Amino acid sequence: MSLLTPASEVIERHLEHFTDRHVILAGDIQDELGATLEAASVRVLTNQYHRWKNLQPTLGDNVVFATTVPAEFIQPCDTLIYFWPKNKQEAAFQLDDLCTHLAVGSQIFVVGENRSGVKSADAIMEGISTLQKIDSARRCGLYHGELEHPTEFNISRWWRNYQLDNVVVNALPGVFSNSELDIGSDLLLSTLTEPMNGNVLDLACGNGVLAAVVGSQNPNVTLTLSDVSSAALDSATATLAANKLTGKIIPSDVYSEINDKFDWIISNPPFHDGINTSYNAVETLISHAPKYLKKGGRLRIVANAFLPYPDLLDKAFGGHVVLAKTGKFKVYEAIKR
């Protein structure tokens, strides 16, 4: 059993609120509180595949991996515990969805670390629920209210899109680079100008911009896109469709659900898990990449220049090259010999 986050520890200070309630946990689920919380019933909605995998053996059908909550899944619930994410728009998007399905009078608890911006919860919930701060501990705030006015969620209001040359990029809130191309991906794309063939894996694909550009420029490639986030996978699916491209979309914790070998692995990998810095995913991405590459296959990634990836690449591949760099980013390539 994993350790509880500070936000969950604050929830544990208020267990008396949940004993006789039908609870749904949602938002930035970072631990296994949902598997241990004592209540009349407990359900968990997570948009993170690795969190779903951890909880599913205990909770079974009472944990769902999805971007938006299925109406029949939340319908029995009368209490929401919402874990605040680092992205304010993502919070607004998810709460809009959740508060469409809950009944008037449902209890709402919003908790999060102060550095995540949880203080803006009352403003986002204005007109929906009047939140009052009921606890402050572990550098977190806990807010409580009752649902007064259910929302009318319409996902079409939340989509954002932008154009990159002839490629259309679609993204939902909380997905990296959701309103414009980020500098790192732009630098990586500047190196992907040579003709590409074979199987291409866009790992930690986000909104799918890398795969969409590669696919539009190289019609003979076979695309596979993978991410741990359901919102990212939905965004990547929409991006491929907008550009009349086909590809396999796989929810996966790095390589956990990847079974093929590739000619290319491309990535602008994250180094955060929620609001915390974490290199675990990137270390796995690099160290296990040779297993998923064909002989002569290439790993090409972009990363902040200060991150300790050269040693990882040299250990996994026996060497690497820097194809492009700015003051902040570097594009690395390593080839399986």
Side-chain angles (χ1 to χ4, degrees):
M1 188 68 67
S2 64
L3 296 175
L4 296 182
T5 63
S8 289
E9 289 178 346
V10 173
I11 291 294
E12 284 209 313
R13 290 157 56 98
H14 298 270
L15 294 179
E16 70 278 3
H17 289 292
F18 311 115
T19 305
D20 300 321
R21 311 292 295 185
H22 297 278
V23 181
I24 182 167
L25 284 69
D28 188 25
I29 305 294
Q30 289 285 326
D31 57 29
E32 297 177 32
L33 176 66
T36 61
L37 186 70
E38 294 185 5
S41 67
V42 178
R43 298 185 174 206
V44 177
L45 170 72
T46 177
N47 66 0
Q48 298 293 306
Y49 184 70
H50 56 312
R51 303 298 175 198
W52 175 83
K53 281 195 76 173
N54 287 341
L55 288 165
Q56 198 276 333
T58 303
L59 291 176
D61 292 340
N62 286 328
V63 58
V64 165
F65 169 65
T67 303
T68 57
V69 65
E72 67 278 6
F73 184 75
I74 193 174
Q75 189 274 329
C77 301
D78 57 20
T79 301
L80 167 66
I81 301 176
Y82 182 77
F83 290 85
W84 196 262
K86 67 178 180 179
N87 185 288
K88 189 175 178 180
Q89 277 295 102
E90 181 179 16
F93 167 74
Q94 292 175 342
L95 287 166
D96 184 20
D97 174 40
L98 292 160
C99 291
T100 290
H101 303 288
L102 291 169
V104 171
S106 294
Q107 302 294 298
I108 296 176
F109 295 84
V110 178
V111 64
E113 294 191 41
N114 294 328
R115 61 183 174 139
S116 72
V118 69
K119 294 176 183 178
S120 59
D122 57 345
I124 284 180
M125 293 295 284
E126 185 176 0
I128 303 168
S129 173
T130 304
L131 296 181
Q132 301 291 332
K133 191 172 188 179
I134 62 170
D135 200 356
S136 181
R138 306 286 283 118
R139 297 181 179 176
C140 295
L142 174 62
Y143 298 79
H144 170 256
E146 290 188 359
L147 182 62
E148 299 159 6
H149 302 286
T151 53
E152 295 182 5
F153 179 73
N154 182 349
I155 197 170
S156 65
R157 295 200 305 258
W158 292 97
W159 282 102
R160 299 292 178 266
N161 62 75
Y162 56 93
Q163 192 102 6
L164 185 64
D165 296 327
N166 64 332
V167 172
V168 176
V169 182
N170 290 303
L172 290 168
V175 176
F176 181 64
S177 194
N178 98 309
S179 59
E180 61 181 356
L181 185 68
D182 63 282
I183 298 171
S185 294
D186 189 36
L187 186 65
L188 177 55
L189 285 171
S190 75
T191 72
L192 292 170
T193 55
E194 74 267 48
M196 296 170 65
N197 293 291
N199 297 326
V200 178
L201 171 62
D202 182 357
L203 200 58
C205 65
N207 58 30
V209 59
L210 299 180
V213 171
V214 167
S216 66
Q217 295 176 350
N218 303 273
N220 293 324
V221 298
T222 300
L223 297 172
T224 300
L225 293 78
S226 176
D227 205 289
V228 77
S229 160
S230 62
L233 297 172
D234 291 348
S235 300
T237 299
T239 295
L240 290 188
N243 296 284
K244 297 180 171 58
L245 296 169
T246 59
K248 186 186 295 184
I249 308 286
I250 301 176
S252 184
D253 184 7
V254 196
Y255 299 109
S256 70
E257 311 304 321
I258 304 297
N259 299 309
D260 298 323
K261 289 184 179 288
F262 299 89
D263 299 282
W264 290 84
I265 298 175
I266 58 175
S267 185
N268 181 358
F271 57 96
H272 290 94
D273 190 353
I275 62 175
N276 298 311
T277 299
S278 173
Y279 303 121
N280 292 340
V282 186
E283 290 173 355
T284 300
L285 187 157
I286 293 172
S287 62
H288 292 189
K291 178 181 175 183
Y292 296 92
L293 285 168
K294 300 175 183 178
K295 186 175 181 180
R298 299 168 183 262
L299 171 70
R300 192 174 296 186
I301 64 173
V302 63
N304 288 66
F306 71 86
L307 294 172
Y309 297 163
D311 289 345
L312 292 171
L313 289 162
D314 290 345
K315 184 177 180 181
F317 287 89
H320 75 277
V321 295
V322 176
L323 297 179
K325 62 181 179 178
T326 65
K328 189 174 181 182
F329 293 99
K330 289 183 179 179
V331 176
Y332 300 101
E333 181 175 90
I335 301 174
K336 181 178 179 179
R337 304 299 180 184

